[in-house]
Each structure stands twice: as structure tokens, then as C-alpha cells.
Amino acid sequence: MAQQPVLSGYEPDSVNPPLRFCDVVTLIPNTANGLVAYAGSPDARAWVEFLRQDVATPPNLRDCQWQLVPRRQYTESRALKKRAREGKWDQGRCLPWPDIPEDGDDLEELAWKFMREHGLFASRPKGTDKKRKKATVEDAKDEKQMLMVRDVLSQLMAMKEEADGNAAEEERQHGTTIRYGDSVQLLHVSTQTFLSVAKQQAIEKGSKKAEMVAKDEGSELCVFNVRPAFKTYMSGDIVSSGDLVVLELRKPIGGMHYYIRMSQLASLDTGDRKSTRLNSSHLCNL
């Protein structure tokens, strides 16, 4: 089979350079003369842009560049999102998060201040946060509310520490050789968004789309294991430029392993170029 024009210069029988964390790459579907692209869209979905058989470089090459980022941690971020969904800390008012406290700040004092600013008291304090001599039901509710706000402040500090740790780990891993079995995240260079898959609830309802999420809203659904497409390679072998790989979602959903593939249903016709959407599936791969 003739080699796709987009692979011009690639010699499959030669020794090709290894891929390293933080490299910028293009993603090319097997047997297709096209590249995975994204430039922003109403449904926040990336697509495979097919080129004419005599074209080797797309006119929108910048939209086809992805950075291989080391896996990030999202434990604290996930916990904070859970608090937001519960809505108890701000009485369901969807208030913006407080400023992140500094080390050494009195979190209880900051929590009382936040409650005053946003009217979160069950009682009506008259310029003081000190407990009254005779406790009331309202006082108990205020104390409970203060503790929830204090916990949010503590969680914000933990999330910042986690984000700083992610940045430090990315710096440490920068230039490290990627091996089969490693976990990566695909950061779209021009939009600074991560490739992700639909949430578990959406998949359970039949939606299997791959979508883009903001860099600071990443989650475990943005983390993929790099697997070899053929048994020629094993876990631990070096991944080289031009290798045919499978991108497996690191987190199983409903007991199933999902992969990135091309959709056969949703397609776009843009004149000289045709595009097709990316999906997630437990049957196929990109």
C-alpha cells in the first residue's frame, strides 16, 4: 500500500527518533491522508481533516499540533468540583470561589469574612463574629456554614498545591522518553485545551464523543495510555515518531476500556477538504 502524502519523509524501516514528553506532534489516522485538528467549534469536538491525495501539508497546520503532556493529578480539583455540585458551602447560590488563602492565613477568620460579604448568615450579626452569650439555633447554623466555607478555603489551597505539583512534574519529565504503557495528555497547542472523552453519564446514555476541555478544567478523562497497535512492541518499549499507536483511556468507564477512533457517522464537507469527528469506543481505535 502506498504511503500517505502526509507521511512524506517518514521511513518505516529506518530508526526514527523517540518521542519525548512535551514534544509537539501531529496525529495521523492509519491509512488516511489526514490529521487530527481542532480550531474551536460549537460542540467542542476535534476532527480528522482529510486532504486530497496529492497534498502533504494542510493549510491549517497550526490547528493540527498537539503537545504530549505528562499525566496530571486531579484529586483535589475533583474534590472541589464535588463541593460545587453539592452547593451546600454557598447555600446553592453558585458564588465564585473565594481568593486562595496564603500560608499562615486564619481560615476561620476568612470564612466569617466571606459569609459577611455574601450574606450567608442564618442570623443577622451586628458587626461582630463572636459567639453570643446565649447560643441560638441560628448560631449553630452559622457555625456549620462557617466550617463548610473554611473547608472550601482549605480545598482551594490544596488544589493550588496540586497544580504547582503538576507544573513541577511536567518540568521534571520534560524531554523524558515516552514508552509504551506511559500515560499522556494531548494538549492542543493553539487553543490550550485538552482532548477528553464524554463524561460517564453521557456514555451510559449512548454518547461516545471525544471533546475538548479547557486546560484548567482537565480531569482523568483527559488521560490516555499509549499502547502499541501491533504485538511488535511491548509495554516498556520506546515509542518512536511515526509509530502506529492506540490511545486508550486510562480510566475504565462502566468496566469498559475506551479508545479514540474516527466517527463513521458525523462528517463535514469543506470543499477541497473533508472532515470527520473523533469518537470514543471500546471497539475501535485511531
Side-chain angles (χ1 to χ4, degrees):
M1 181 182 295
Q3 184 167 282
Q4 306 105 286
V6 289
L7 289 173
S8 296
Y10 168 66
E11 299 293 338
D13 297 326
S14 300
V15 177
N16 293 291
L19 290 179
R20 303 178 185 276
F21 283 116
C22 300
D23 279 354
V24 175
V25 301
T26 54
L27 304 176
I28 301 172
N30 188 31
T31 73
N33 193 48
L35 303 94
V36 178
Y38 182 67
S41 63
D43 60 0
R45 296 183 65 182
W47 59 84
V48 177
E49 186 156 319
F50 295 104
L51 308 176
R52 296 195 312 267
Q53 287 304 312
D54 59 341
V55 175
T57 304
N60 58 337
L61 182 59
R62 179 175 170 79
D63 297 336
C64 304
Q65 294 178 328
W66 304 81
Q67 187 175 30
L68 300 172
V69 178
R71 175 195 172 197
R72 298 186 174 188
Q73 300 296 323
Y74 293 106
T75 303
E76 304 300 340
S77 175
R78 185 171 63 250
L80 195 62
K81 289 177 181 178
K82 182 179 179 181
R83 290 185 184 275
R85 288 194 302 270
E86 291 172 347
K88 295 179 180 179
W89 81 278
D90 63 351
Q91 300 175 1
R93 292 164 55 183
C94 299
L95 295 175
W97 294 121
D99 293 335
I100 300 175
E102 299 290 339
D103 290 338
D105 283 350
D106 187 325
L107 298 189
E108 289 195 8
E109 181 180 331
L110 292 176
W112 286 121
K113 179 181 177 183
F114 184 85
M115 289 172 63
R116 283 199 306 272
E117 291 174 347
H118 296 280
L120 295 177
F121 284 93
S123 59
R124 295 174 180 258
K126 297 180 180 179
T128 178
D129 299 323
K130 295 181 180 180
K131 292 184 179 180
R132 301 164 184 167
K133 293 182 179 180
K134 186 177 180 180
T136 66
V137 173
E138 287 77 11
D139 289 333
K141 289 181 178 179
D142 290 342
E143 185 76 18
K144 184 177 180 180
Q145 185 69 47
M146 183 278 294
L147 293 175
M148 286 191 287
V149 175
R150 184 198 64 182
D151 288 347
V152 164
L153 292 169
S154 179
Q155 194 74 58
L156 285 167
M157 295 178 70
M159 189 180 72
K160 181 180 183 301
E161 183 177 349
E162 183 177 69
D164 292 343
N166 285 334
E169 179 64 12
E170 184 172 326
E171 182 66 25
R172 188 185 73 83
Q173 292 265 37
H174 190 109
T176 301
T177 300
I178 297 175
R179 298 177 180 273
Y180 286 109
D182 284 349
S183 297
V184 302
Q185 294 184 226
L186 297 169
L187 179 66
H188 189 248
V189 174
S190 63
T191 62
Q192 289 294 287
T193 53
F194 279 123
L195 180 66
S196 178
V197 303
K199 296 180 180 179
Q200 180 171 348
Q201 297 91 329
I203 287 182
E204 289 172 349
K205 294 179 181 178
S207 174
K208 298 179 181 178
K209 67 178 182 178
E211 57 191 5
M212 307 300 296
V213 298
K215 187 176 181 180
D216 59 354
E217 296 180 1
S219 71
E220 293 177 346
L221 296 178
C222 300
V223 183
F224 298 91
N225 292 331
V226 182
R227 303 293 188 195
F230 304 109
K231 294 183 178 180
T232 309
Y233 299 100
M234 299 178 62
S235 182
D237 288 345
I238 292 175
V239 182
S240 298
S241 176
D243 281 1
L244 188 61
V245 302
V246 175
L247 297 175
E248 174 193 59
L249 186 64
R250 185 177 186 276
K251 178 184 178 182
I253 298 178
M256 304 292 290
H257 288 279
Y258 283 78
Y259 308 86
I260 296 298
R261 71 172 179 87
M262 290 185 296
S263 169
Q264 297 179 345
L265 301 177
S267 62
L268 301 173
D269 191 337
T270 55
D272 292 337
R273 310 189 304 276
K274 290 187 177 181
S275 306
T276 184
R277 297 300 193 193
L278 287 184
N279 262 355
S280 62
S281 171
H282 57 274
L283 298 175
C284 306
N285 64 268
L286 179 64

